[in-house]
Amino acid sequence: MVSSLDSSVGTERNVVTEIPGPLSRALQARRTKVVSAGLTIGFPVYIDRAEGAILVDVDGNRFLDLGSGIAVTGIGHAVPELVDAVSAQVAKFTHTCFMVTPYESYVEVCEELAALTPGTFEKTSALFNSGAEAVENAVKIARLATGRSAIIVFEHAYHGRTNLTMALTAKNMPYKDRFGPFAPEVYRVPMSYPYRDGLSGADAAARAIKIIETDVGASNVAAVLIEPIQGEGGFVVPAEGFLPALSTWTSEHGAVFIADEIQSGFGRTGYWFAVEHEGVVPDMVTTAKGLAGGMPLAAVTGRADLMNAVHEGGLGGTYGGNPVAAVAALATIKTLRDRNLIARARELGATMLETLSSLQRDVAVIGDVRGRGAMVAIELIEPGTTTPNAAAAKAIVAYCQQHGVVALTAGTYGNVIRLLPPLVITDEQLADGLGVLGAAVRSVQ
Ligand SMILES: *Cc1c(COP(=O)(O)O)cnc(C)c1O
């Protein structure tokens, strides 16, 4: 077994070269020649290894990870339980294709998904490779099961970069610009965004529903697809009552309520799924990111009557539910349970909200502090206004990088900094990271 790691990774950030260092700069030069310029790199330090909440680059710099590779390594890097499970599976077999000759771990992941997702009704799942693929399949299934075509999505939404999911995603640049034409029968309605619209959840839902009923027609709606807390859109937490009202409307009109929990799921917000904060029970849930600790795996889980409406052979894919990814998911779920990491997400969230709210009182560039559990963001504005301040967000992230902290931006206007620390981050590491972030914010004042 490969669970014992050389302790040289350490637990503290430590910048030992200029950033990026010489070896990273050399790799970046190679990258420029052979990797498409269409991929942007937020922080061009090339990683050699990682453990817990620390990333070590090829120059020996140690970075504190407050992004978890976009909410993927929630259980931390190189967690022994996951390393052991994956290593053992690689030695047994890496692929058979579940549709050719099946294996137990796929079934076990679906058993876990049925048990963990909200709702006591019978559920079945299908496994895929990426979040976008899961969302596409959820839409396919909802259309087939309802015999309708319209899909309702929201402002600021992010659902992926494939052709259908580009249509579902809100933001043009960089995700959609000149990549069309896009898939039809996708209708966008306003999201509840308390900081910017000041509406109650009920009023924001009424606004959205009025547009659906007048512009689309309730009887044409196959599905309402929503992120319970928006990810790329800027960690927008809808006002209380918004999600329950939409969910109720959806079921009253025979449509499918799909919660895209790809970023907010798997313990991130202090529950297994973010919809649980308001007791909402979706008909279908899409998951990926935090599901398998870094191995590519995604799922659609939903009411058995909907999921099983699909004809034989209608769902699948060569790699979906790959056995190495499947055991990684089982190890991830076990680690979340055994290490009590969902309760830990709530503690981390309380500390982040408290520290950042007190920072907000001292500075004029933070317009809003929001989030649930270990999914927390600050929204930067021009002092004295609510005008988005993307330049401040960029400068703050750059300061953090120079000081050995990985932080990510988000938001339709690029003015949000989101924190997604691994749930195994220690109190000392989190305090250190928030200290650097605080100094970064003060530096742009
Ligand atoms: C990341 C993300 C996706 C797309 O997942 P990929 O694995 O990148 O295809 C879809 N929905 C949400 C909410 C996401 O955060």
Side-chain angles (χ1 to χ4, degrees), residues 395-406:
I396 291 165
V397 164
Y399 179 105
C400 288
Q401 293 175 347
Q402 289 301 318
H403 291 79
V405 173
V406 180

Side-chain angles (χ1 to χ4, degrees), residues 185-365:
E185 287 304 303
V186 173
Y187 300 91
R188 193 169 311 283
V189 297
M191 177 67 179
S192 164
Y193 194 153
Y195 173 63
R196 294 199 169 274
D197 66 21
L199 294 179
S200 70
D203 287 350
R207 175 178 65 177
I209 288 166
K210 186 163 173 242
I211 298 173
I212 301 171
E213 291 183 340
T214 53
D215 292 11
V216 187
S219 62
N220 296 316
V221 176
V224 172
L225 166 65
I226 190 163
E227 298 157 87
I229 297 178
Q230 290 183 323
E232 307 304 300
F235 284 21
V236 179
V237 184
E240 204 177 314
F242 182 73
L243 293 172
L246 281 173
S247 155
T248 301
W249 181 91
T250 305
S251 70
E252 281 171 4
H253 292 88
V256 179
F257 188 80
I258 307 174
D260 182 348
E261 292 262 11
I262 287 169
Q263 194 154 157
S264 56
F266 280 91
R268 175 53 54 188
T269 70
Y271 283 92
W272 283 99
F273 298 98
V275 284
E276 294 176 69
H277 285 274
E278 290 194 78
V280 168
V281 179
D283 301 304
M284 263 185 221
V285 179
T286 55
T287 53
K289 292 196 168 94
L291 163 62
M295 296 299 291
L297 188 70
V300 182
T301 302
R303 291 181 181 274
D305 56 329
L306 301 173
M307 298 293 297
N308 296 346
V310 180
H311 48 276
E312 276 186 41
L315 301 176
T318 306
Y319 295 110
N322 169 274
V324 183
V327 299
L330 296 173
T332 299
I333 292 165
K334 187 172 181 328
T335 304
L336 286 167
R337 279 200 191 102
D338 292 354
R339 298 198 189 188
N340 221 357
L341 291 178
I342 298 182
R344 180 65 181 154
R346 292 183 206 181
E347 286 176 9
L348 296 171
T351 304
M352 289 193 281
L353 286 179
E354 194 188 302
T355 308
L356 296 171
S357 299
S358 108
L359 177 66
Q360 182 186 18
R361 289 190 287 273
D362 284 358
V363 300
V365 285

Side-chain angles (χ1 to χ4, degrees), residues 110-133:
C110 297
E111 287 168 348
E112 288 283 15
L113 288 166
L116 293 174
T117 51
T120 50
F121 40 80
E122 244 184 86
K123 291 169 220 156
T124 63
S125 294
L127 304 185
F128 302 98
N129 306 294
S130 70
E133 206 188 346

